[in-house]
Amino acid sequence: MTVFSRREPGVTHVLVTGGAGYIGSHAALRLLKDSHRVTIVDNLSRGNIGAVKVLQELFPEPGRLQFIYADLGNPEAVKKIFSENAFDAVMHFAAVAYVGESTLDPLKYYHNITSNTLVVLEAMAAHGVNILIYSSTCATYGEPEQMPITEETPQVKILKTVCVCVFYKFNCAWGNRVGPVGMLPINPYGKAKKMAEDIILDFHKNSDMAVMILRYFNVIGSDPEGRLGEAPRPELREHGRISGACFDAARGIIPGLKVTGTDYKTTDGTCIRDYIDVTDLVDAHVKALEKAKPEKVGIYNVGTGRGRSVNEFVEACKKATGVNIKVDFLPRRPGDYAEVFSDPTKILRELNWTAQHTDLQKSLEVAWRWQKLHRNGY
């Protein structure tokens, strides 16, 4: 038996799935700084063992941090992890998370996001782990008709109302019938996350679990002290975040930046997004953990409340890097939305959270410092 397998008064043991990834590693860092006990589970398909090593070097004390190499798609492995560890809470980050890739390989996304969330939830229920902080996405809203997005923005829609003629013997009785209900997410990534949310909410109806679902927007930045950063797999760069592409172009790894879509109904024709700094995002997770209450569900948008166009982002990246990045404009990418930004009123009111790092260029400058020092990642 180890310290990880027993509960201790005053110590919160948090399982961080996907803790070797970009957001998960930053969350693990913050939890450790806040004196929590942390177990990272990751199969390293998208995460980096280098990020785990950084955390291990920062927190070498026994009983602070452990890393378990495992795949959440293996129910037996997950059961073993839960049976051998005494978790108080789960922060479930582990997921493939590229919109473009999801349109090319949707089954991977339904397995990795929806099915794996079910595996984690079943293990939590079986072992009495009653706090879940779920990493979701604004992609579950699809492309709403109104901005900004609130937590009440529909995730499903009524497709149409149809007239129905019902024949009974020789009489025809007319009436209205609501047409089929359709999902609003327009890509498999958003659909898979929405399905996972539905599973969690259905389970919660007969459970005393404390659930917090955080739907966040486009994540940028990195640890201000330069210890962690974003290091996607080279083969996935074409699907990755725009910040990664900008930095790759600035470092000469790729010849230029490809901007997909210039004919959207926006101010400059490019997509509009809400860019949230990873430090702020992690702070929202910590506040969600602190405020989680048994038998209650909290659903929150995590964003700045301000939309920026892709063109604005590119100009900020040019200034942050000091490089006049070459930009190629291409047709739209399947699955992209024209405009998405949040209304963060609810999370401010209920969790006392608001984004602090809202200067786009400064967030990119912080990330750029790490990128320059880690050309090949960790």
Side-chain angles (χ1 to χ4, degrees):
M1 180 176 286
T2 70
V3 292
F4 292 95
S5 62
R6 62 177 183 268
R7 289 190 169 89
E8 291 183 30
V11 178
T12 303
H13 184 184
V14 184
L15 167 61
V16 181
T17 71
Y22 170 42
I23 301 170
S25 62
H26 282 79
L29 173 60
R30 171 63 188 275
L31 291 168
L32 289 162
K33 285 174 65 178
D34 288 355
S35 299
H36 295 302
R37 178 172 291 156
V38 174
T39 293
I40 290 173
V41 171
D42 203 299
N43 67 1
L44 301 179
S45 63
R46 300 292 165 98
N48 293 276
I49 192 62
V52 176
K53 289 178 178 177
V54 168
L55 295 172
Q56 289 171 331
E57 290 169 3
L58 290 170
F59 301 94
E61 305 87 359
R64 295 302 317 282
L65 169 67
Q66 69 170 336
F67 169 69
I68 300 174
Y69 175 81
D71 191 327
L72 298 181
N74 182 342
E76 294 307 314
V78 174
K79 289 176 186 176
K80 185 172 186 291
I81 290 167
F82 273 80
S83 66
E84 294 177 353
N85 293 276
F87 301 124
D88 297 297
V90 175
M91 284 192 181
H92 184 29
F93 293 99
V96 285
Y98 295 134
V99 168
E101 184 190 36
S102 79
T103 64
L104 298 173
D105 193 356
L107 295 185
K108 174 188 287 186
Y109 277 67
Y110 294 122
H111 274 294
N112 183 273
I113 295 172
T114 312
S115 297
N116 289 5
T117 297
L118 180 57
V119 171
V120 171
L121 198 60
E122 286 176 333
M124 290 179 68
H127 294 275
V129 183
N130 288 323
I131 301 176
L132 172 62
I133 315 298
Y134 183 63
S135 165
S136 193
T137 169
C138 63
T140 61
Y141 294 110
E143 193 166 15
E145 295 178 359
Q146 292 184 330
M147 287 290 142
I149 294 173
T150 72
E151 289 78 4
E152 285 71 44
T153 297
Q155 292 176 303
V156 295
K157 64 181 177 180
I158 304 302
L159 295 183
K160 60 183 177 179
T161 299
V162 295
C163 290
V164 180
C165 179
V166 180
F167 285 94
Y168 179 70
K169 294 186 178 179
F170 299 105
N171 297 318
C172 180
W174 286 91
N176 290 327
R177 179 171 65 87
V178 175
V181 174
M183 260 194 178
L184 277 175
I186 64 173
N187 55 62
Y189 170 59
K191 291 176 182 177
K193 283 286 188 180
K194 173 65 170 61
M195 291 177 188
E197 282 192 16
D198 288 343
I199 290 169
I200 293 167
L201 295 175
D202 283 344
F203 168 76
H204 184 269
K205 291 173 184 176
N206 297 301
S207 165
D208 61 356
M209 186 178 289
V211 172
M212 296 294 227
I213 294 173
L214 302 185
R215 297 173 182 155
Y216 40 90
F217 290 67
N218 292 65
V219 189
I220 59 170
S222 62
D223 171 44
E225 295 182 41
R227 295 163 293 189
L228 298 170
E230 183 177 13
R233 292 276 187 273
E235 66 272 18
L236 294 170
R237 280 193 165 109
E238 65 179 295
H239 299 298
R241 295 178 177 86
I242 186 174
S243 54
C246 278
F247 295 145
D248 283 349
R251 293 183 297 174
I253 294 174
I254 58 177
L257 180 65
K258 297 177 180 178
V259 173
T260 54
T262 59
D263 60 345
Y264 291 99
K265 292 181 180 179
T266 59
T267 51
D268 60 22
T270 62
C271 294
I272 289 178
R273 296 290 183 266
D274 189 339
Y275 296 98
I276 177 74
D277 192 288
V278 68
T279 300
D280 285 329
L281 178 59
V282 165
D283 187 53
H285 281 78
V286 170
K287 282 187 165 59
L289 179 63
E290 293 170 351
K291 299 281 188 178
K293 296 179 180 179
E295 301 181 6
K296 300 293 184 182
V297 175
I299 299 176
Y300 302 98
N301 291 336
V302 187
T304 66
R306 179 182 174 188
R308 320 283 185 93
S309 75
V310 170
N311 272 345
E312 284 183 84
F313 188 97
V314 171
E315 290 307 310
C317 195
K318 288 180 179 179
K319 292 176 182 176
T321 61
V323 177
N324 187 24
I325 298 166
K326 178 178 176 289
V327 181
D328 293 321
F329 295 97
L330 302 174
R332 295 185 185 190
R333 181 178 64 173
D336 272 341
Y337 314 104
E339 184 178 32
V340 177
F341 63 96
S342 72
D343 177 349
T345 301
K346 183 182 178 185
I347 193 170
L348 172 60
R349 182 178 68 248
E350 297 187 7
L351 301 189
N352 194 30
W353 177 93
T354 188
Q356 301 296 316
H357 302 81
T358 57
D359 186 314
L360 187 58
Q361 184 177 327
K362 285 185 179 178
S363 289
L364 292 172
E365 286 172 355
V366 170
W368 176 238
R369 286 199 295 270
W370 190 88
Q371 293 291 329
K372 285 193 297 183
L373 296 173
H374 301 83
R375 183 180 176 88
N376 297 313
Y378 287 95

